[in-house]
Amino acid sequence: MTMMTTTRRGLLGVFAATMVTAAPTMSNAFGILRGAGDVRRIRMYSGRTGESVDTVYWIEGEYIKEALKEINHFMRDWRTNDATVIDPRTIDIAAASHRLMDVNEPYMMLSGYRSPKTNAMLRSKSRGVAKNSLHMKGMAADLRLKSRSVPQMYAAAAACHAGGVGKYTRSNFVHMDCGPVRTWGG
């Protein structure tokens, strides 16, 4: 009987120690992004450049610097070839949304980073481009999936409660950013 109690206490102690060790990983994640997992992967391709990225960028609470550099280059402004540091929270939102939709297909990235020059040009052609777009800060991505509708993508991204989500049904894409939590679009 004593041995059984000691064993049970020992197991409970090991379990408690494991939970304390895991706590920093969970505390670094926000909202449903915990659903992105202890291993986070992003898969995207660009119809503009023909490039693709398929990389694990987070393992057990740590971002992988080399993977983030690859993502920064991939998400550069294809018009000017300018790049910036993409806020990893934007990638987290895209990865968590992807997992929620349970798809294997990579995202088609329409727009990641935009230089001020590109943003001004696009703004002159469309009322839908914000003057102070989070794209210029490396905090946004416009994404599309062939296998999921815009409303499905929008719902998954909005379920993360982690940033801005815009629905652009006529243009067939969803905007995801790591700015304030808000939604828009029709």
Side-chain angles (χ1 to χ4, degrees), residues 9 32 64 75 77 90 108-109 114 116 141 151-153 181:
R9 283 187 185 144
I32 199 165
I64 301 168
M75 292 184 71
D77 183 332
T90 300
M108 173 189 268
M109 186 195 67
R114 283 189 208 144
Q152 288 171 320
M153 288 180 62
V181 176

Side-chain angles (χ1 to χ4, degrees), residues 22-40:
T25 300
M26 298 306 283
S27 67
N28 287 339
F30 53 103
I32 199 165
L33 296 184
R34 284 180 238 139
D38 289 338
V39 174
R40 298 181 189 170

Side-chain angles (χ1 to χ4, degrees), residues 8-178:
R8 192 177 310 145
R9 283 187 185 144
L11 287 172
L12 289 173
V14 169
F15 178 73
T18 303
M19 292 307 290
V20 170
T21 303
T25 300
M26 298 306 283
S27 67
N28 287 339
F30 53 103
I32 199 165
L33 296 184
R34 284 180 238 139
D38 289 338
V39 174
R40 298 181 189 170
R41 174 183 179 196
I42 192 72
R43 296 174 61 206
M44 297 184 284
Y45 71 95
S46 169
R48 305 286 188 183
T49 66
E51 297 171 338
S52 62
V53 64
D54 181 349
T55 188
V56 171
Y57 68 93
W58 163 286
I59 297 177
E60 296 180 3
E62 297 291 327
Y63 288 106
I64 301 168
K65 289 179 185 178
E66 294 77 23
L68 292 178
K69 286 180 186 177
E70 182 181 357
I71 293 166
N72 293 340
H73 176 74
F74 173 79
M75 292 184 71
R76 72 191 180 281
D77 183 332
W78 62 271
R79 290 175 177 91
T80 65
N81 213 33
D82 293 330
T84 194
V85 174
I86 301 298
D87 191 317
R89 296 174 302 165
T90 300
I91 306 308
D92 289 339
I93 294 164
S97 300
H98 202 262
R99 283 180 70 131
L100 284 172
M101 290 182 283
D102 193 29
V103 297
N104 289 321
E105 170 193 355
Y107 283 117
M108 173 189 268
M109 186 195 67
L110 304 174
S111 183
Y113 170 67
R114 283 189 208 144
S115 67
K117 180 180 177 180
T118 294
N119 201 70
M121 181 272 295
L122 292 172
R123 191 166 153 70
S124 73
K125 295 179 179 188
S126 171
R127 294 181 306 140
V129 177
K131 182 177 183 179
N132 295 312
S133 171
L134 291 179
H135 286 279
M136 294 190 302
K137 297 178 182 179
M139 296 173 63
D142 296 339
L143 304 168
R144 174 184 295 159
L145 286 170
K146 291 178 187 174
S147 64
R148 296 293 183 266
S149 68
V150 169
Q152 288 171 320
M153 288 180 62
Y154 175 84
C160 294
H161 302 288
V165 183
K167 180 173 23 173
Y168 295 88
T169 305
R170 289 190 320 200
S171 300
N172 190 27
F173 74 89
V174 172
H175 168 97
M176 299 178 196
D177 70 52
C178 63

